[in-house]
Amino acid sequence: KAGVTQTPRYLIKTRGQQVTLSCSPISGHRSVSWYQQTPGQGLQFLFEYFSETQRNKGNFPGRFSGRQFSNSRSEMNVSTLELGDSALYLCASSLGSAGGSTDTQYFGPGTRLTVL
Amino acid sequence: KNEVEQSPQNLTAQEGEFITINCSYSVGISALHWLQQHPGGGIVSLFMLSSGKKKHGRLIATINIQEKHSSLHITASHPRDSAVYICAPYPRLHTGNQFYFGTGTSLTVIP
């Protein structure tokens, strides 16, 4: 079974631009979660999608948004980029049936975003 | 306010040593996950615990729900165990965060 894939792997943008990141989950997984990882804040939860609906949301501004398609692939969008958005963005997929707490999460390799 | 505290932050061990990483949390949880992150960013889920103890090979994880504490043990440590280990409690009552995350323990095992 193929693992979780994320594209692109590396991205450089300038302040004020917007960016879209993509995540393809493991086949059969219906839940996709997104996380931001920075040296200062560590791992932080962004949001989770299950069956095309946002099921959970972390404490991030509205500039961060996402969606999930019928094939469970997910995209994350960040508008009006700020320098502080430079981070490793990770997605993880899981079956999703247990509501998240007891699901094993399978992480993708991440997209490293640099905002100049 | 830190809902999750991990200790130690950094740990250097000689190959073969027994290693313990601790995680304390302040929220009520329904489960706790231990994650391993290697240099380069890839994260692997090692354990999911809701009570008691689990063992996978040389790795053992325990949790005490009443004391709000979990430990990850590595027996007979090996240089390939060098990684950052992160505990991730899953709160029983969602406050907008699907998981809380510890700041991680960076482990280096020297041959």
Side-chain angles (χ1 to χ4, degrees):
Chain A
K1 232 183 207 182
V4 179
T5 58
Q6 289 188 246
T7 57
R9 293 291 312 279
Y10 302 91
L11 204 48
I12 299 175
K13 291 284 189 179
T14 56
R15 277 182 301 173
Q17 287 187 309
Q18 76 164 17
V19 66
T20 299
L21 312 181
S22 180
C23 173
S24 292
I26 290 171
S27 178
H29 285 189
R30 295 164 65 191
S31 169
V32 174
S33 298
W34 288 90
Y35 302 91
Q36 182 196 65
Q37 187 176 38
T38 59
Q41 298 293 323
L43 263 172
Q44 293 183 279
F45 169 70
L46 280 157
F47 29 66
E48 183 216 3
Y49 285 87
F50 177 75
S51 293
E52 301 180 66
T53 302
Q54 188 180 83
R55 186 159 68 172
N56 287 299
K57 188 177 187 305
N59 298 323
F60 277 80
R63 299 185 298 107
F64 292 82
S65 63
R67 59 178 175 167
Q68 187 180 34
F69 302 95
S70 58
N71 61 357
S72 293
R73 190 178 71 84
S74 178
E75 286 182 348
M76 190 193 103
N77 185 274
V78 187
S79 62
T80 320
L81 283 165
E82 300 177 0
L83 295 178
D85 297 332
S86 294
L88 180 67
Y89 290 88
L90 294 149
C91 79
S93 77
S94 66
L95 289 170
S97 54
S101 62
T102 56
D103 276 348
T104 297
Q105 302 244 329
Y106 296 85
F107 287 80
T111 294
R112 188 162 296 279
L113 171 66
T114 302
V115 181
L116 302 175
Chain B
K1 175 186 148 201
N2 289 332
E3 291 87 2
V4 188
E5 299 280 352
Q6 263 187 257
S7 63
Q9 281 192 313
N10 297 285
L11 183 56
T12 301
Q14 291 289 333
E15 183 173 356
E17 283 187 12
F18 180 86
I19 287 160
T20 296
I21 298 169
N22 295 300
C23 175
S24 296
Y25 51 91
S26 57
V27 297
I29 66 168
S30 53
L32 182 143
H33 295 241
W34 279 100
L35 309 174
Q36 179 192 56
Q37 185 171 29
H38 280 283
I43 293 180
V44 174
S45 178
L46 296 174
F47 292 102
M48 186 284 301
L49 291 161
S50 54
S51 65
K53 176 180 173 178
K54 284 191 177 178
K55 184 176 188 289
H56 290 156
R58 296 179 295 104
L59 273 60
I60 303 166
T62 63
I63 190 166
N64 186 319
I65 295 291
Q66 286 73 30
E67 293 187 5
K68 292 186 166 63
H69 183 269
S70 178
S71 293
L72 176 68
H73 306 284
I74 304 175
T75 62
S77 59
H78 190 277
R80 65 174 173 265
D81 297 327
S82 298
V84 175
Y85 293 84
I86 302 167
C87 76
Y90 190 93
R92 194 185 309 125
L93 297 175
H94 292 282
T95 59
N97 290 316
Q98 184 185 27
F99 281 99
Y100 292 107
F101 292 99
T103 51
T105 295
S106 179
L107 171 65
T108 303
V109 181
I110 299 169

